[in-house]
PDB file of all heavy atoms in Angstrom:
ATOM      1  N   ILE A 353      18.803 -14.368  -3.781  1.00  0.00           N
ATOM      2  CA  ILE A 353      20.278 -14.287  -3.710  1.00  0.00           C
ATOM      3  C   ILE A 353      20.696 -14.642  -2.284  1.00  0.00           C
ATOM      4  O   ILE A 353      20.283 -13.959  -1.323  1.00  0.00           O
ATOM      5  CB  ILE A 353      20.739 -12.847  -4.054  1.00  0.00           C
ATOM      6  CG1 ILE A 353      20.251 -12.466  -5.459  1.00  0.00           C
ATOM      7  CG2 ILE A 353      22.254 -12.706  -3.912  1.00  0.00           C
ATOM      8  CD1 ILE A 353      20.342 -10.980  -5.757  1.00  0.00           C
ATOM      9  N   ASN A 354      21.507 -15.684  -2.141  1.00  0.00           N
ATOM     10  CA  ASN A 354      21.970 -16.076  -0.802  1.00  0.00           C
ATOM     11  C   ASN A 354      22.782 -14.956  -0.165  1.00  0.00           C
ATOM     12  O   ASN A 354      23.587 -14.305  -0.839  1.00  0.00           O
ATOM     13  CB  ASN A 354      22.872 -17.309  -0.887  1.00  0.00           C
ATOM     14  CG  ASN A 354      22.066 -18.585  -1.075  1.00  0.00           C
ATOM     15  OD1 ASN A 354      20.849 -18.587  -0.918  1.00  0.00           O
ATOM     16  ND2 ASN A 354      22.754 -19.660  -1.410  1.00  0.00           N
ATOM     17  N   ASP A 355      22.590 -14.758   1.136  1.00  0.00           N
ATOM     18  CA  ASP A 355      23.444 -13.851   1.889  1.00  0.00           C
ATOM     19  C   ASP A 355      24.892 -14.383   1.794  1.00  0.00           C
ATOM     20  O   ASP A 355      25.105 -15.593   1.909  1.00  0.00           O
ATOM     21  CB  ASP A 355      22.968 -13.844   3.347  1.00  0.00           C
ATOM     22  CG  ASP A 355      23.750 -12.869   4.184  1.00  0.00           C
ATOM     23  OD1 ASP A 355      24.919 -13.173   4.532  1.00  0.00           O
ATOM     24  OD2 ASP A 355      23.214 -11.812   4.498  1.00  0.00           O
ATOM     25  N   PRO A 356      25.879 -13.498   1.600  1.00  0.00           N
ATOM     26  CA  PRO A 356      27.259 -13.991   1.473  1.00  0.00           C
ATOM     27  C   PRO A 356      27.729 -14.760   2.711  1.00  0.00           C
ATOM     28  O   PRO A 356      28.627 -15.593   2.614  1.00  0.00           O
ATOM     29  CB  PRO A 356      28.085 -12.715   1.299  1.00  0.00           C
ATOM     30  CG  PRO A 356      27.123 -11.604   1.095  1.00  0.00           C
ATOM     31  CD  PRO A 356      25.749 -12.061   1.434  1.00  0.00           C
ATOM     32  N   ARG A 357      27.119 -14.510   3.883  1.00  0.00           N
ATOM     33  CA  ARG A 357      27.548 -15.211   5.104  1.00  0.00           C
ATOM     34  C   ARG A 357      26.685 -16.441   5.405  1.00  0.00           C
ATOM     35  O   ARG A 357      26.760 -16.984   6.498  1.00  0.00           O
ATOM     36  CB  ARG A 357      27.525 -14.232   6.277  1.00  0.00           C
ATOM     37  CG  ARG A 357      28.570 -13.137   6.102  1.00  0.00           C
ATOM     38  CD  ARG A 357      28.612 -12.196   7.261  1.00  0.00           C
ATOM     39  NE  ARG A 357      28.904 -12.856   8.519  1.00  0.00           N
ATOM     40  CZ  ARG A 357      29.052 -12.230   9.683  1.00  0.00           C
ATOM     41  NH1 ARG A 357      28.967 -10.904   9.722  1.00  0.00           N
ATOM     42  NH2 ARG A 357      29.316 -12.889  10.774  1.00  0.00           N
ATOM     43  N   LEU A 358      25.848 -16.853   4.438  1.00  0.00           N
ATOM     44  CA  LEU A 358      24.993 -18.023   4.655  1.00  0.00           C
ATOM     45  C   LEU A 358      25.814 -19.307   4.558  1.00  0.00           C
ATOM     46  O   LEU A 358      26.469 -19.534   3.538  1.00  0.00           O
ATOM     47  CB  LEU A 358      23.886 -18.041   3.594  1.00  0.00           C
ATOM     48  CG  LEU A 358      22.747 -19.021   3.840  1.00  0.00           C
ATOM     49  CD1 LEU A 358      21.812 -18.506   4.923  1.00  0.00           C
ATOM     50  CD2 LEU A 358      21.962 -19.259   2.552  1.00  0.00           C
ATOM     51  N   PRO A 359      25.777 -20.156   5.610  1.00  0.00           N
ATOM     52  CA  PRO A 359      26.454 -21.463   5.492  1.00  0.00           C
ATOM     53  C   PRO A 359      25.857 -22.263   4.328  1.00  0.00           C
ATOM     54  O   PRO A 359      24.645 -22.220   4.103  1.00  0.00           O
ATOM     55  CB  PRO A 359      26.147 -22.139   6.829  1.00  0.00           C
ATOM     56  CG  PRO A 359      25.780 -21.033   7.756  1.00  0.00           C
ATOM     57  CD  PRO A 359      25.146 -19.958   6.922  1.00  0.00           C
ATOM     58  N   GLU A 360      26.722 -22.998   3.636  1.00  0.00           N
ATOM     59  CA  GLU A 360      26.293 -23.689   2.405  1.00  0.00           C
ATOM     60  C   GLU A 360      25.154 -24.671   2.620  1.00  0.00           C
ATOM     61  O   GLU A 360      24.328 -24.886   1.735  1.00  0.00           O
ATOM     62  CB  GLU A 360      27.486 -24.450   1.809  1.00  0.00           C
ATOM     63  CG  GLU A 360      28.053 -23.749   0.594  1.00  0.00           C
ATOM     64  CD  GLU A 360      29.233 -24.486   0.025  1.00  0.00           C
ATOM     65  OE1 GLU A 360      29.191 -25.729  -0.024  1.00  0.00           O
ATOM     66  OE2 GLU A 360      30.199 -23.802  -0.358  1.00  0.00           O
ATOM     67  N   GLU A 361      25.120 -25.290   3.829  1.00  0.00           N
ATOM     68  CA  GLU A 361      24.129 -26.356   4.046  1.00  0.00           C
ATOM     69  C   GLU A 361      22.701 -25.809   4.232  1.00  0.00           C
ATOM     70  O   GLU A 361      21.744 -26.576   4.211  1.00  0.00           O
ATOM     71  CB  GLU A 361      24.534 -27.231   5.253  1.00  0.00           C
ATOM     72  CG  GLU A 361      24.489 -26.562   6.608  1.00  0.00           C
ATOM     73  CD  GLU A 361      25.786 -25.810   6.965  1.00  0.00           C
ATOM     74  OE1 GLU A 361      26.605 -25.593   6.057  1.00  0.00           O
ATOM     75  OE2 GLU A 361      25.952 -25.435   8.137  1.00  0.00           O
ATOM     76  N   ILE A 362      22.565 -24.512   4.404  1.00  0.00           N
ATOM     77  CA  ILE A 362      21.201 -23.976   4.610  1.00  0.00           C
ATOM     78  C   ILE A 362      20.507 -23.774   3.254  1.00  0.00           C
ATOM     79  O   ILE A 362      20.965 -23.019   2.411  1.00  0.00           O
ATOM     80  CB  ILE A 362      21.230 -22.661   5.419  1.00  0.00           C
ATOM     81  CG1 ILE A 362      21.822 -22.930   6.803  1.00  0.00           C
ATOM     82  CG2 ILE A 362      19.828 -22.066   5.526  1.00  0.00           C
ATOM     83  CD1 ILE A 362      21.773 -21.758   7.753  1.00  0.00           C
TER      84      ILE A 362
END
Side-chain angles (χ1 to χ4, degrees):
I353 301 166
N354 282 348
D355 183 285
R357 294 182 59 177
L358 192 76
E360 255 179 40
E361 67 274 14
I362 298 186

